Amino acid sequence: DTGVSQNPRHKITKRGQNVTFRCDPISEHNRLYWYRQTLGQGPEFLTYFQNEAQLEKSRLLSDRFSAERPKGSFSTLEIQRTEQGDSAMYLCASSRGRTDTQYFGPGTRLTVL
Amino acid sequence: SQQGEEDPQALSIQEGENATMNCSYKTSINNLQWYRQNSGRGLVHLILIRSNEREKHSGRLRVTLDTSKKSSSLLITASRAADTASYFCATDEPGGGSEKLVFGKGTKLTVNP
């Protein structure tokens, strides 16, 4: 499978715990994006990378959120001190160029109890 | 903020009928993309249409773009039960400085067998 992969697919955690998600983009894509989707809504942009550089962050990305893309390959999204409001589907996407199609992974569904 | 808005919010049809979904947006774009999402899953890319294109086809899908009216439509012909999903339009952020996609809330399509 050469698509975007995300792990884990589901994560249940208790409030206050830290969680980390991983995204592996399509191999030749240098752009990687993170989005968050809550029930009944469309995805909302969080941040994106061009190679290893994080070029844009949304206001949604509070200081409890951090994303990295070491070596410009896979990316991780960490949420510290999780809150119930962080419960959502976290989606990763990658693309080859600036205005090219963004291909999405299956998402990681986070539930904070 | 949401750039695109899909209409209707929900649509229920019989198998074999055509389904039309509309998307309106507020400001100029470089391209518009349509995605499908099955319940609780990731987004599947359907079609990308650029601002200088008026119509594109892919199998049973037909997308139109009217930049003067800032609107797009997605037509699914000869619908099947497997087309049951939520459909989202997504536009790039106007102004050229961002690569994020801005999604609407989606149209939930139900195709009854």
Side-chain angles (χ1 to χ4, degrees):
Chain A
D1 187 346
T2 57
V4 178
S5 62
Q6 293 186 245
N7 287 289
R9 296 290 305 277
H10 302 273
K11 179 70 176 179
I12 300 174
T13 191
K14 293 183 179 178
R15 190 176 52 187
Q17 298 293 306
N18 300 343
V19 294
T20 300
F21 311 139
R22 175 176 170 131
C23 171
D24 287 90
I26 295 171
S27 60
E28 65 267 26
H29 288 183
N30 61 27
R31 285 163 161 82
L32 186 148
Y33 309 81
W34 285 100
Y35 292 82
R36 182 174 71 185
Q37 184 180 25
T38 54
L39 200 61
Q41 303 293 316
E44 293 178 291
F45 170 80
L46 292 178
T47 187
Y48 94 91
F49 293 83
Q50 182 177 339
N51 299 313
E52 64 275 10
Q54 188 173 18
L55 297 185
E56 186 178 352
K57 292 194 289 187
S58 162
R59 289 171 299 165
L60 294 174
L61 214 66
S62 75
D63 56 5
R64 295 184 299 106
F65 289 70
S66 63
E68 293 182 341
R69 193 183 181 197
K71 303 178 184 177
S73 55
F74 71 92
S75 175
T76 57
L77 177 67
E78 180 183 19
I79 309 175
Q80 295 183 326
R81 304 181 303 281
T82 52
E83 302 173 355
Q84 287 185 324
D86 297 331
S87 295
M89 174 80 90
Y90 289 84
L91 295 161
C92 175
S94 70
S95 73
R96 179 180 288 113
R98 189 177 183 283
T99 58
D100 290 331
T101 298
Q102 291 185 22
Y103 294 94
F104 282 78
T108 294
R109 181 169 295 282
L110 173 66
T111 302
V112 182
L113 302 176
Chain B
S1 63
Q2 292 191 316
Q3 158 87 308
E5 281 209 19
E6 293 88 349
D7 170 62
Q9 291 187 351
L11 180 61
S12 182
I13 60 174
Q14 294 299 124
E15 209 165 23
E17 294 180 340
N18 295 343
T20 299
M21 288 158 272
N22 302 297
C23 170
S24 59
Y25 56 92
K26 298 174 184 172
T27 58
S28 63
I29 59 173
N30 292 314
N31 61 59
L32 184 146
Q33 305 185 54
W34 283 91
Y35 288 86
R36 184 186 74 222
Q37 186 177 39
N38 292 87
S39 180
R41 310 288 290 275
L43 280 82
V44 174
H45 182 259
L46 298 176
I47 287 184
L48 180 151
I49 186 165
R50 301 196 185 276
S51 59
N52 61 352
E53 297 175 309
R54 292 296 167 258
E55 187 171 313
K56 283 188 86 167
H57 296 255
S58 177
R60 295 184 294 113
L61 306 181
R62 173 178 169 252
V63 168
T64 62
L65 179 64
D66 187 336
T67 53
S68 67
K69 295 181 179 178
K70 294 186 173 56
S71 68
S72 174
S73 68
L74 169 67
L75 169 67
I76 304 174
T77 60
S79 64
R80 306 167 181 167
D83 295 327
T84 295
S86 291
Y87 291 81
F88 295 90
C89 68
T91 58
D92 55 341
E93 177 80 350
S98 173
E99 296 191 17
K100 68 181 180 184
L101 291 179
V102 182
F103 288 82
K105 292 185 178 181
T107 292
K108 188 168 184 179
L109 173 65
T110 302
V111 181
N112 301 299

